[in-house]
């Protein structure tokens, strides 16, 4: 529907416009109890995370694509902060991300944003 498309566009724009630390805090939730819930052996890459961020909306490429680069930037910040780690996935340059123990503690304490600095 027109309303669903407008809502998806609005959320895509909101995510894209967030300061990177704020987006990183939202991205971190993908690794929490209400997050991706990826089965073992399945990728938790930037594309899957961008789709998860738009999970309550249409997840067509039109809406997820603009969020992808900011999501990758946010993942980089979480990685540097030690809240997630990144590994190669399968063959090629695919990446998969997982929460570290520090990341799990930050999620449990709801202080992800505070751990990313000012």
């Amino acid at each position: 529907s027109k309303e669903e498309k407008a809502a998806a566009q609005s959320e895509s724009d909101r995510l894209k416009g967030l300061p990177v630390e704020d987006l990183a805090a939202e991205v971190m939730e993908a690794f929490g109890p209400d997050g991706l819930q990826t089965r073992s052996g399945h990728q938790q890459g930037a594309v899957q995370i961008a789709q998860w961020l738009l999970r309550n909306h249409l997840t067509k490429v039109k809406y997820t694509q603009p969020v992808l680069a900011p999501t990758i930037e946010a993942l980089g910040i979480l990685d540097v902060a030690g809240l997630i780690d990144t590994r190669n996935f399968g063959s090629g340059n695919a990446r998969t991300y997982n929460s570290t123990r520090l990341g799990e503690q930050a999620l449990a304490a709801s202080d992800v944003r505070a751990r990313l600095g000012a």
Side-chain angles (χ1 to χ4, degrees):
S1 75
K2 221 186 269 183
E3 290 81 15
E4 286 175 318
K5 288 177 182 169
Q9 186 63 59
S10 174
E11 180 64 357
S12 179
D13 292 344
R14 183 189 74 81
L15 290 164
K16 200 172 57 183
L18 284 175
V20 69
E21 294 86 359
D22 293 349
L23 180 60
E26 290 200 29
V27 165
M28 191 65 204
E29 296 292 328
F31 303 98
D34 300 321
L36 285 163
Q37 306 292 333
T38 308
R39 292 196 309 277
S40 180
H42 290 255
Q43 186 181 11
Q44 293 191 139
V47 169
Q48 289 83 4
I49 293 165
Q51 289 171 340
W52 180 84
L53 287 168
L54 284 154
R55 67 198 175 280
N56 297 324
H57 302 282
L58 302 172
T59 56
K60 294 187 173 123
V61 169
K62 176 181 177 181
Y63 307 113
T64 58
Q65 186 66 37
V67 178
L68 194 54
T71 297
I72 291 167
E73 189 182 3
L75 287 163
I77 284 181
L78 292 168
D79 196 3
V80 168
L83 301 182
I84 62 169
D85 63 20
T86 172
R87 300 190 186 106
N88 285 327
F89 184 82
S91 59
N93 293 325
R95 313 293 285 156
T96 193
Y97 301 88
N98 293 287
S99 181
T100 60
R101 284 169 52 199
L102 193 64
E104 287 163 16
Q105 290 166 6
L107 281 168
S110 298
D111 69 354
V112 171
R113 182 68 186 77
R115 293 179 191 228
L116 299 176

